[in-house]
């Protein structure tokens, strides 16, 4: 984990990779719970028997939004910010889902500080590029340009 003690340190890190998270398994149980929470119970996510017959690879796949929902975990596992009062999710500039995530896959996040800008009086808006990789995959599951507002 890389620890930043000031906004100036974060701004100095623009353009650099901060770190890579540990792998996290996307189990069928996690997919099922996400489907229930979001009311997106499309069969490609939850019907294992049908997936065996009809899906390439014979497995269900995780929701794209489930992969993206792991972003806070990935980012917090590689970056520490001292002296913060709060952090707010400001949104995203771009999100692309490049490869399906079969149940049982492992994902990790590769985090880069893409941009940082002061937000008076006590804030810093940071654009993080997050590449969500699939263990053994040829392409990432997702690439997202996420924005956070940090306040001290």
């Amino acid at each position: 984990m890389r620890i930043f003690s000031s906004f100036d340190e974060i701004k100095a890190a623009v353009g650099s990779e901060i770190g890579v998270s540990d792998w996290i398994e996307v189990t069928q149980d996690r997919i099922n719970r996400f489907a229930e929470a979001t009311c997106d119970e499309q069969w490609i996510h939850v019907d294992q028997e049908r997936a065996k017959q009809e899906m390439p690879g014979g497995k269900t796949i995780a929701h794209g939004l489930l992969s993206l929902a792991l972003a806070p975990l990935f980012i917090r596992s590689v970056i520490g910010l001292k002296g913060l009062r709060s952090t707010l999710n400001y949104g995203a500039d771009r999100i692309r889902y490049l490869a399906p995530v079969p149940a049982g896959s492992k994902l990790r996040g590769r985090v880069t500080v893409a941009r940082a800008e002061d937000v008076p009086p006590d804030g810093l808006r940071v654009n993080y590029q997050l590449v969500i990789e699939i263990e053994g995959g040829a392409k990432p599951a997702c690439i997202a340009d996420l924005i956070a507002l940090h306040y001290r």
Side-chain angles (χ1 to χ4, degrees):
M1 175 180 286
R2 186 161 168 194
I3 305 296
F4 293 92
S5 297
S6 70
F7 285 174
D8 287 336
E9 287 181 13
I10 298 170
K11 289 188 277 188
V14 168
S16 64
E17 183 176 288
I18 299 306
V20 181
S21 74
D22 290 335
W23 294 104
I24 182 167
E25 186 175 0
V26 180
T27 63
Q28 185 63 51
D29 181 60
R30 184 184 299 269
I31 294 169
N32 291 346
R33 287 184 286 128
F34 189 85
E36 183 179 346
T38 60
C39 299
D40 182 358
E41 296 177 345
Q42 187 179 174
W43 74 266
I44 63 173
H45 305 304
V46 298
D47 190 336
Q48 292 176 281
E49 290 306 312
R50 186 172 175 187
K52 283 180 190 175
Q53 302 300 315
E54 298 183 39
M55 292 294 289
K59 292 183 176 183
T60 61
I61 59 171
H63 308 71
L65 289 172
L66 170 54
S67 299
L68 184 61
L70 297 171
L73 169 70
F74 294 142
I75 293 171
R76 284 189 210 134
S77 73
V78 300
I79 187 170
L81 306 171
K82 289 187 175 181
L84 288 185
R85 186 170 36 105
S86 64
T87 294
L88 301 175
N89 176 353
Y90 193 70
D93 281 336
R94 180 181 164 107
I95 300 167
R96 296 291 181 266
Y97 301 103
L98 304 177
V101 177
S105 297
K106 291 185 179 178
L107 301 177
R108 71 177 178 187
R110 185 174 297 277
V111 180
T112 299
V113 175
R115 197 166 61 209
E117 182 180 338
D118 289 314
V119 177
D122 293 317
L124 184 71
R125 183 172 43 242
V126 180
N127 292 61
Y128 294 102
Q129 182 186 56
L130 175 64
V131 178
I132 301 175
E133 301 173 337
I134 306 169
E135 187 176 47
K139 290 197 267 183
C142 177
I143 296 176
D145 296 326
L146 307 173
I147 309 165
L149 285 175
H150 302 298
Y151 292 98
R152 55 183 163 203

